Amino acid sequence: MMPHSKKPRLTGSNDDAEASSDARPILSADEFACILGFLPPKQIMCLRRVCKTWREAAKKTIVPIVDFHVNSIDKYNALNVMATAMPNLQQIKISYMGQGQKYNDGEDPDEEVAARTANYTIHDIEILSNFSKLRILEVSYAPMNGRYPSLFQFSFLQKLKIRVGTMKWDLEMLEGSPLLEELHVYSDGVTGNINSLRALKDTLTMVSIEFSSNVNGDFMDLADFPHLKVLSLKNTAVTGNLLDIDEHHFPQLQSLSLPDQVYGVDGYKFQRIAEMTDFIHKVYHLIQKRRSPKLLLNWTWHLSEDSPDWYRSMRYPQLPFSIELVKVGSRLGYRWFGVYVVRSDDDDGPTQYCEINWLDREPEKESSGYKIYIQKLERIQRDIDFYKGCSQPPTQDEYRRRRVEFDREIFGW
């Protein structure tokens, strides 16, 4: 009988693999980092345990932009580990972590808030500064108090959202994020002049600062921002005049919302009917220069109840003391209307419209858009009832006369 021969040992056995895994890795840490960059954060954190090379790779991995929301103690603890194990996270959201939890107080904290939260468990917010590749940061109702300069030193940051009233900061601090494209602020803790945003003139595409009464300046300071598409400054102390805009200003703007004190803003209240008519014609000239009515088509303007032209109606129909632009096909005009009002003890009925005052000429009958224009015009004219034949608000005597005729026709009085 032939002697039994031993099986040759496979070169790919586990023992050899374990012995050589750290000695001669198939790929370098940099190469592994490129591969891990296609995976979500949780999976990267698991794979980093495989070996030393993979641990080093995780530290170098540029993590894909996915929302990591720190809204619990467990999530904060995970963030704390990632601050050293996977520091190239690109998106983080910080918010409320639960009762009795807070982040460390910053500089110049509100003493009353500090005293009220003195016994809370404190967590270090400064670990965020470890994430130097951060591109998106949202701080929403997080338990913070005071100033945190380190949160404004992310050189790659592109999108910043802050909704924390007890977090103090100034618009000038945004200079630390020179690549910022989108700014969303809903907080009374911010101060400063919007002129400070000029440091970000060439990058900003969206600026939304709302309910921030300590932010001031003139909105026209942003008029030459070449990429700005959205500007919203509701409930701030910003001022200005809508009519200061010309064809060269806000070249990319698609949406505009301004505070009540800006002259000509949506909802602005005028003192005289003649002023409103003059204003709407100036707006029309502005639209002609910019060749786009979209920004102002849904805006309305009103006559103030303090105006000497204003008088009280007989509840219904409403007085047509509001004005709006109207686009019918390619033709632009404006009309007066009565605002629909619902009171606790009374329903004032549907909105009443006056006739359209045309600013553009009627389309040519042979043109391709004429049929559509006529169809839309017929629908709009069906809405004209009580003020049929009126192209502007009637005098008080005219209104009363129309009301008597209306009552006679409807009720037989």
Side-chain angles (χ1 to χ4, degrees):
M1 178 180 288
M2 296 289 291
H4 180 69
S5 60
K6 294 183 179 180
K7 288 185 177 181
R9 186 173 183 179
L10 297 175
T11 58
S13 67
N14 290 339
D15 291 342
D16 283 346
E18 291 175 2
S20 62
S21 61
D22 281 338
R24 287 192 306 167
I26 299 173
L27 297 175
S28 68
D30 290 338
E31 291 169 324
F32 270 123
C34 292
I35 296 173
L36 294 178
F38 290 95
L39 302 177
K42 187 174 182 180
Q43 196 167 351
I44 297 173
M45 288 297 288
C46 291
L47 292 173
R48 62 180 285 275
R49 301 175 183 174
V50 171
C51 63
K52 180 180 178 181
T53 301
W54 286 35
R55 283 195 298 275
E56 291 301 315
K59 290 181 180 180
K60 298 180 177 182
T61 299
I62 305 298
V63 183
I65 296 180
V66 293
D67 185 24
F68 186 80
H69 189 182
V70 183
N71 58 354
S72 67
I73 302 302
D74 289 342
K75 285 291 187 69
Y76 174 81
N77 291 335
L79 185 72
N80 201 11
V81 173
M82 287 190 289
T84 53
M86 194 175 65
N88 292 334
L89 205 61
Q90 296 189 88
Q91 181 174 356
I92 299 175
K93 178 179 179 179
I94 303 293
S95 64
Y96 180 70
M97 292 183 294
Q99 182 63 34
Q101 311 294 326
K102 76 170 187 177
Y103 290 105
N104 56 287
D105 291 342
E107 301 172 5
D108 187 28
D110 184 298
E111 297 299 334
E112 185 177 330
V113 174
R116 189 171 64 247
T117 60
N119 295 324
Y120 283 17
T121 301
I122 299 174
H123 304 275
D124 184 14
I125 193 66
E126 302 300 331
I127 62 170
L128 283 179
S129 60
N130 285 20
F131 299 96
S132 59
K133 297 292 193 296
L134 204 60
R135 293 181 183 272
I136 301 174
L137 174 61
E138 180 174 355
V139 184
S140 183
Y141 303 110
M144 300 166 66
N145 181 17
R147 295 181 179 272
Y148 301 86
S150 64
L151 298 188
F152 297 90
Q153 298 299 320
F154 296 106
S155 57
F156 293 100
L157 198 67
Q158 296 176 345
K159 187 175 181 178
L160 176 63
K161 290 186 177 183
I162 298 179
R163 295 172 65 98
V164 183
T166 52
M167 176 180 164
K168 301 177 182 179
W169 60 287
D170 191 274
L171 291 177
E172 290 183 354
M173 299 170 74
L174 295 173
E175 292 181 359
S177 300
L179 300 181
L180 193 66
E181 296 176 3
E182 296 185 21
L183 175 63
H184 305 258
V185 181
Y186 190 98
S187 166
D188 222 20
V190 59
T191 59
N193 191 301
I194 60 169
N195 184 267
S196 300
L197 298 180
R198 296 196 61 79
L200 304 170
K201 170 186 170 182
D202 294 324
T203 60
L204 282 172
T205 62
M206 176 180 289
V207 173
S208 178
I209 305 175
E210 300 181 350
F211 293 90
S212 305
S213 60
N214 297 310
V215 171
N216 54 43
D218 190 321
F219 81 97
M220 289 298 295
D221 286 342
L222 311 185
D224 60 343
F225 281 35
H227 308 295
L228 191 62
K229 295 180 179 180
V230 176
L231 177 60
S232 181
L233 300 169
K234 292 181 178 178
N235 296 96
T236 64
V238 171
T239 58
N241 187 329
L242 185 75
L243 297 179
D244 287 340
I245 300 176
D246 66 26
E247 66 269 30
H248 304 298
H249 295 146
F250 301 107
Q252 299 295 326
L253 201 63
Q254 299 172 7
S255 177
L256 179 64
S257 298
L258 299 170
D260 294 343
Q261 63 271 17
V262 171
Y263 181 82
V265 70
D266 182 20
Y268 190 82
K269 293 184 178 181
F270 292 84
Q271 287 298 313
R272 303 305 298 253
I273 289 176
E275 183 187 5
M276 295 175 71
T277 303
D278 179 63
F279 172 81
I280 208 76
H281 280 88
K282 289 178 179 178
V283 167
Y284 173 64
H285 290 308
L286 169 62
I287 290 171
Q288 282 186 311
K289 291 178 182 179
R290 295 180 64 87
R291 299 180 182 178
S292 174
K294 292 181 180 179
L295 271 180
L296 308 177
L297 262 186
N298 295 318
W299 285 26
T300 59
W301 300 272
H302 313 286
L303 183 68
S304 171
E305 292 188 10
D306 298 329
S307 165
D309 295 336
W310 192 89
Y311 57 87
R312 188 174 299 279
S313 70
M314 301 168 70
R315 293 195 300 178
Y316 178 80
Q318 303 91 355
L319 293 167
F321 286 156
S322 297
I323 199 170
E324 66 181 358
L325 289 168
V326 181
K327 192 170 186 292
V328 184
S330 61
R331 195 181 190 190
L332 195 64
Y334 68 92
R335 63 181 174 182
W336 296 86
F337 67 96
V339 177
Y340 173 72
V341 179
V342 177
R343 300 191 182 96
S344 59
D345 59 343
D346 184 45
D347 185 339
D348 284 344
T351 301
Q352 293 289 333
Y353 295 98
C354 291
E355 303 282 357
I356 297 175
N357 296 274
W358 293 111
L359 299 165
D360 289 332
R361 290 183 299 180
E362 185 176 75
E364 297 291 338
K365 291 185 178 180
E366 296 78 16
S367 66
S368 59
Y370 184 77
K371 184 177 180 181
I372 295 175
Y373 160 73
I374 291 298
Q375 290 173 345
K376 290 185 176 181
L377 180 60
E378 288 175 349
R379 287 198 297 269
I380 287 176
Q381 287 178 329
R382 285 197 291 267
D383 292 334
I384 304 173
D385 182 17
F386 185 82
Y387 296 111
K388 192 171 185 64
C390 285
S391 58
Q392 65 178 12
T395 64
Q396 189 169 11
D397 289 341
E398 174 64 15
Y399 173 80
R400 288 173 176 170
R401 185 186 66 77
R402 284 177 173 268
R403 179 58 194 264
V404 170
E405 292 177 356
F406 175 82
D407 289 344
R408 184 182 299 118
E409 180 180 343
I410 300 298
F411 305 109
W413 294 351

